[in-house]
Amino acid sequence: MEDKKIISIITPVYNEEKNIPIFYAELQKVVNSMDKYDFELIFVNDGSRDKSLEELRKMEKEDERVMVIDLSRNFGKEIATTAGINHCRGEACIMLDSDLQHPVEKIPEFVSKWENGAEVVIGVRKKNNGEGLVKKMGSFFFYKIINRISDTKVMSNATDYRLLDRMVINEFNKLTEKNRMTRALIDWLGFKREYIYFEARPRIHGEAGYSFWKLMRLAFNSMISLSIFPLRIAGYLGIIITIFSGVLGLFIFITNYVTESLDFSGPAILAVVILFLIGIVLICLGLIALYIANIHSEVNNRPLYVVRRSRK
Ligand code: UDP
Ligand code: MG
């Protein structure tokens, strides 16, 4: 008999002691019903401070498919997921949250899209029950801005519930940047994508580990890593100010020497001169920023291109 394909399920865990047993029970049901595949269930404990690890160790003992990666402290979900992807052995991996917000019943659909040729399958949230207005507005603007300023298009409502083909996993593992948003990196990698729509369930136990500020930081980090536009802002501002104050200065000059009817006070003229100089300083900052942007992309050290290798 031919060996079954292995599929790795990767889930980050941070203070989910109440959710873990439920999640695992639901996951088992789904996984057991898909007997064409072997599964590897990777749980990455991201420095939980509750009893999550004990729950995971229990499962690990009873179920040989379970593998626990225990991070030494809380590194954040993005890095926890990365650890899971680095360690998985499957022909494909599926990553999803352990807080029951990503419905495990969808796993067979992810797999069938993959079998039909998709290399990345992305879960897209139809609506999010129980999310505050601030969070909704935040994500709305985040996607608006990031799609404006960056070359990598990020679909709004696209979640971390994703399947990656082995080929994509291998390319993902080559990326070395430290400040990362897993989703954005996967989007940057490209490959053939398919989407699956699902309704996110409300969180039952525990609380969302991402506070407002943690989310803001993530949003800024990913903007900075996907785009150098923020670096250019100073330069643009400088150009605008220089032009504006230059025109104003010229106007003052003309009224003074040509029509000889100066009605600008000394301080007003001084203000225009200073404004002009500030504009020039900002332009210089913008120039420096361009060099920094260059350094930034060299340091990020992403591969120049990614090649799709044909499947065996
Ligand atoms: N998580 C993690 N580390 C963290 C915060 C969260 O591994 O520092 C995990 C968490 O256990 C859950 C997933 O990431 O499985 C999503 O977390 P959360 O529900 O807090 O985020 P949201 O649903 O608001 O995106
Ligand atoms: Mg959640």
Side-chain angles (χ1 to χ4, degrees):
M1 202 182 91
E2 195 189 341
D3 269 352
K4 291 180 188 175
K5 284 185 190 163
I6 301 177
I7 294 179
S8 308
I9 307 282
I10 298 170
T11 183
V13 177
Y14 178 57
N15 297 345
E16 308 276 11
E17 58 178 4
K18 291 227 178 72
N19 291 323
I20 284 296
I22 312 173
F23 175 78
Y24 177 56
E26 289 191 5
L27 185 63
Q28 256 181 325
K29 235 185 279 166
V30 175
V31 161
N32 291 342
S33 71
M34 300 172 69
D35 48 14
K36 267 178 61 196
Y37 304 96
D38 275 333
F39 282 90
E40 172 187 54
L41 314 177
I42 301 180
F43 291 84
V44 186
N45 178 37
D46 185 17
S48 299
R49 266 168 293 206
D50 61 357
K51 296 214 165 59
S52 298
L53 182 63
E54 288 165 38
E55 292 290 340
L56 295 177
R57 290 289 183 218
K58 245 191 277 170
M59 288 153 37
E60 196 180 33
K61 223 175 265 168
E62 283 163 17
D63 186 343
E64 58 175 8
R65 294 172 299 185
V66 173
M67 164 161 134
V68 177
I69 299 173
D70 185 24
L71 301 184
S72 60
R73 64 169 171 86
N74 179 251
F75 283 92
K77 175 187 180 179
E78 308 301 320
I79 291 176
T81 325
T82 304
I85 297 175
N86 290 162
H87 284 82
C88 78
R89 297 177 298 127
E91 303 272 308
C93 75
I94 299 176
M95 46 206 220
L96 77 172
D97 290 356
S98 55
D99 61 357
L100 303 166
Q101 290 195 288
H102 295 164
V104 286
E105 311 86 76
K106 292 277 176 185
I107 289 178
E109 287 180 41
F110 277 80
V111 172
S112 78
K113 293 247 181 201
W114 171 60
E115 291 287 15
N116 287 329
E119 289 151 347
V120 177
V121 186
I122 302 175
V124 181
R125 201 164 51 191
K126 268 194 281 197
K127 80 175 174 227
N128 204 340
N129 302 312
E131 258 193 2
L133 186 68
V134 178
K135 214 167 170 180
K136 265 190 211 144
M137 298 244 296
S139 78
F140 176 80
F141 283 114
F142 170 71
Y143 286 110
K144 272 267 172 306
I145 294 173
I146 201 148
N147 281 325
R148 206 5 87 85
I149 66 177
S150 123
D151 296 333
T152 308
K153 292 290 164 247
V154 186
M155 191 177 179
S156 72
N157 290 333
T159 64
D160 284 318
Y161 192 176
R162 286 170 185 219
L163 176 147
L164 307 182
D165 181 78
R166 182 80 243 171
M167 201 162 47
V168 185
I169 299 172
N170 290 343
E171 297 303 331
F172 182 89
N173 287 340
K174 289 183 197 158
L175 302 176
T176 55
E177 59 209 77
K178 306 280 182 297
N179 254 326
R180 52 170 62 210
M181 187 169 169
T182 318
R183 239 179 297 172
L185 288 180
I186 295 171
D187 288 336
W188 180 85
L189 279 174
F191 288 103
K192 257 183 255 155
R193 297 161 202 199
E194 286 286 345
Y195 298 90
I196 282 181
Y197 294 84
F198 72 90
E199 254 167 64
R201 295 190 232 160
R203 218 176 211 287
I204 313 168
H205 297 293
E207 52 194 74
Y210 275 94
S211 64
F212 178 72
W213 290 112
K214 229 168 152 183
L215 273 177
M216 286 296 268
R217 208 166 64 204
L218 186 68
F220 277 119
N221 271 342
S222 49
M223 274 188 206
I224 285 171
S225 76
L226 278 181
S227 156
I228 59 161
F229 180 77
L231 273 179
R232 292 202 175 132
I233 291 175
Y236 290 140
L237 216 65
I239 293 172
I240 293 170
I241 292 178
T242 307
I243 291 175
F244 172 74
S245 57
V247 168
L248 210 60
L250 205 67
F251 180 69
I252 293 175
F253 185 83
I254 290 171
T255 47
N256 190 13
Y257 292 103
V258 181
T259 66
E260 291 189 359
S261 58
L262 182 67
D263 46 6
F264 289 96
S265 67
I269 295 174
L270 193 64
V272 171
V273 172
I274 290 176
L275 209 58
F276 188 72
L277 292 180
I278 288 177
I280 287 179
V281 171
L282 281 177
I283 289 178
C284 293
L285 270 182
L287 279 178
I288 293 176
L290 289 183
Y291 286 91
I292 293 181
N294 243 330
I295 298 172
H296 179 252
S297 72
E298 294 290 340
V299 171
N300 257 348
N301 207 13
R302 293 215 191 131
L304 276 182
Y305 49 82
V306 177
V307 177
R308 173 180 289 118
R309 296 194 172 74
S310 57
R311 270 195 231 173
K312 284 159 277 160

Coordinates of all heavy atoms in Angstrom, one line a residue, residues 234-250 272-285:
A234 N 8.6 62.0 5.1 CA 9.4 63.2 5.4 C 9.8 63.9 4.1 O 9.6 65.1 4.0 CB 10.6 62.8 6.2
G235 N 10.2 63.1 3.2 CA 10.7 63.7 1.9 C 9.5 64.5 1.2 O 9.7 65.6 0.8
Y236 N 8.4 63.8 1.1 CA 7.2 64.4 0.5 C 6.8 65.7 1.2 O 6.6 66.7 0.5 CB 6.0 63.4 0.4 CG 6.3 62.3 -0.5 CD1 5.8 61.0 -0.2 CD2 6.8 62.5 -1.8 CE1 6.0 59.9 -1.0 CE2 7.0 61.4 -2.6 CZ 6.7 60.1 -2.2 OH 6.8 59.1 -3.1
L237 N 6.8 65.6 2.5 CA 6.4 66.8 3.3 C 7.4 67.9 3.0 O 7.0 69.1 2.8 CB 6.5 66.4 4.8 CG 5.5 67.0 5.7 CD1 4.1 66.5 5.3 CD2 5.8 66.6 7.1
G238 N 8.7 67.6 2.9 CA 9.7 68.6 2.7 C 9.5 69.2 1.3 O 9.5 70.5 1.2
I239 N 9.1 68.4 0.3 CA 8.9 69.0 -1.0 C 7.7 70.0 -1.0 O 7.8 71.1 -1.5 CB 8.7 67.9 -2.0 CG1 10.0 67.0 -2.2 CG2 8.2 68.4 -3.4 CD1 9.8 65.8 -3.0
I240 N 6.7 69.6 -0.4 CA 5.5 70.4 -0.3 C 5.8 71.7 0.4 O 5.5 72.8 -0.1 CB 4.3 69.7 0.5 CG1 3.9 68.5 -0.4 CG2 3.2 70.7 0.7 CD1 2.9 67.6 0.4
I241 N 6.5 71.6 1.6 CA 6.8 72.8 2.3 C 7.7 73.7 1.6 O 7.6 75.0 1.5 CB 7.4 72.5 3.7 CG1 6.3 71.8 4.6 CG2 7.9 73.7 4.4 CD1 6.8 71.3 5.9
T242 N 8.7 73.2 0.9 CA 9.7 74.0 0.2 C 9.0 74.7 -1.0 O 9.2 75.9 -1.2 CB 10.8 73.1 -0.4 OG1 11.4 72.3 0.6 CG2 11.9 73.9 -1.0
I243 N 8.2 74.0 -1.7 CA 7.5 74.7 -2.8 C 6.6 75.8 -2.3 O 6.6 76.9 -2.8 CB 6.6 73.6 -3.6 CG1 7.6 72.7 -4.3 CG2 5.7 74.3 -4.6 CD1 6.9 71.6 -5.0
F244 N 5.8 75.5 -1.3 CA 4.9 76.4 -0.7 C 5.6 77.7 -0.2 O 5.3 78.8 -0.6 CB 4.1 75.8 0.5 CG 3.3 76.7 1.3 CD1 2.1 77.2 0.7 CD2 3.7 77.1 2.5 CE1 1.3 78.0 1.5 CE2 2.9 78.0 3.3 CZ 1.7 78.5 2.7
S245 N 6.7 77.5 0.6 CA 7.4 78.6 1.2 C 8.2 79.4 0.1 O 8.4 80.6 0.1 CB 8.2 78.3 2.4 OG 9.1 77.3 2.0
G246 N 8.6 78.6 -0.9 CA 9.4 79.2 -2.0 C 8.5 80.2 -2.8 O 8.9 81.3 -3.1
V247 N 7.3 79.7 -3.1 CA 6.4 80.6 -3.8 C 6.1 81.8 -3.0 O 6.1 82.9 -3.5 CB 5.1 79.8 -4.2 CG1 4.0 80.7 -4.7 CG2 5.4 78.7 -5.2
L248 N 5.8 81.6 -1.7 CA 5.5 82.7 -0.8 C 6.7 83.7 -0.8 O 6.5 84.9 -0.8 CB 5.2 82.1 0.6 CG 4.2 82.9 1.4 CD1 2.9 83.0 0.7 CD2 4.1 82.3 2.8
G249 N 7.9 83.2 -0.7 CA 9.1 84.0 -0.6 C 9.2 84.8 -1.9 O 9.5 86.0 -1.8
L250 N 9.0 84.2 -3.0 CA 9.1 84.8 -4.3 C 8.1 86.0 -4.4 O 8.4 87.1 -4.8 CB 8.8 83.8 -5.4 CG 9.4 84.1 -6.7 CD1 11.0 84.1 -6.7 CD2 8.9 83.2 -7.8
V272 N 8.7 82.8 6.8 CA 8.8 82.1 5.5 C 10.2 81.6 5.2 O 10.3 80.5 4.7 CB 8.4 83.2 4.4 CG1 8.7 82.6 3.0 CG2 6.9 83.5 4.5
V273 N 11.2 82.3 5.6 CA 12.6 81.9 5.4 C 12.8 80.6 6.2 O 13.3 79.6 5.7 CB 13.6 82.9 5.8 CG1 15.0 82.4 5.8 CG2 13.5 84.1 4.9
I274 N 12.3 80.6 7.4 CA 12.5 79.4 8.3 C 11.8 78.2 7.7 O 12.3 77.1 7.6 CB 12.1 79.7 9.7 CG1 13.0 80.6 10.4 CG2 12.0 78.4 10.5 CD1 12.6 81.0 11.8
L275 N 10.6 78.5 7.2 CA 9.8 77.4 6.7 C 10.5 76.8 5.5 O 10.6 75.6 5.3 CB 8.4 78.0 6.2 CG 7.2 77.0 6.2 CD1 7.0 76.5 7.6 CD2 6.0 77.8 5.7
F276 N 11.1 77.7 4.7 CA 11.8 77.2 3.5 C 12.9 76.3 3.9 O 13.1 75.2 3.3 CB 12.3 78.4 2.7 CG 12.9 78.1 1.4 CD1 12.1 77.7 0.3 CD2 14.3 78.1 1.2 CE1 12.7 77.4 -0.9 CE2 14.9 77.8 0.0 CZ 14.1 77.4 -1.1
L277 N 13.7 76.7 4.9 CA 14.8 75.9 5.4 C 14.3 74.6 6.0 O 14.9 73.5 5.8 CB 15.6 76.7 6.4 CG 16.4 77.9 5.8 CD1 17.2 78.6 6.9 CD2 17.3 77.4 4.7
I278 N 13.2 74.6 6.7 CA 12.7 73.4 7.3 C 12.3 72.4 6.1 O 12.6 71.2 6.2 CB 11.4 73.6 8.1 CG1 11.8 74.3 9.4 CG2 10.7 72.3 8.4 CD1 10.6 74.7 10.3
G279 N 11.8 73.0 5.1 CA 11.4 72.1 3.9 C 12.7 71.5 3.4 O 12.7 70.3 3.1
I280 N 13.8 72.2 3.3 CA 15.0 71.6 2.7 C 15.5 70.6 3.7 O 16.0 69.5 3.2 CB 16.0 72.8 2.5 CG1 15.6 73.6 1.3 CG2 17.4 72.2 2.3 CD1 16.4 74.7 0.9
V281 N 15.5 70.8 5.0 CA 15.9 69.8 5.9 C 15.1 68.5 5.8 O 15.6 67.4 5.7 CB 15.8 70.3 7.4 CG1 16.0 69.2 8.4 CG2 16.8 71.4 7.6
L282 N 13.8 68.7 5.6 CA 12.9 67.5 5.4 C 13.3 66.7 4.2 O 13.3 65.5 4.1 CB 11.5 67.9 5.5 CG 10.9 68.2 6.9 CD1 9.4 68.6 6.8 CD2 11.0 66.9 7.7
I283 N 13.5 67.5 3.1 CA 13.9 66.8 1.9 C 15.2 66.0 2.1 O 15.3 64.8 1.6 CB 14.1 67.8 0.7 CG1 12.8 68.4 0.3 CG2 14.8 67.2 -0.5 CD1 12.9 69.5 -0.8
C284 N 16.1 66.6 2.8 CA 17.4 65.8 3.1 C 17.1 64.6 3.9 O 17.6 63.5 3.6 CB 18.4 66.7 3.9 SG 19.0 68.1 2.8
L285 N 16.2 64.7 4.9 CA 15.7 63.5 5.6 C 15.2 62.5 4.7 O 15.4 61.3 4.9 CB 14.7 63.9 6.7 CG 15.2 64.4 8.0 CD1 14.1 64.6 9.0 CD2 16.1 63.2 8.6

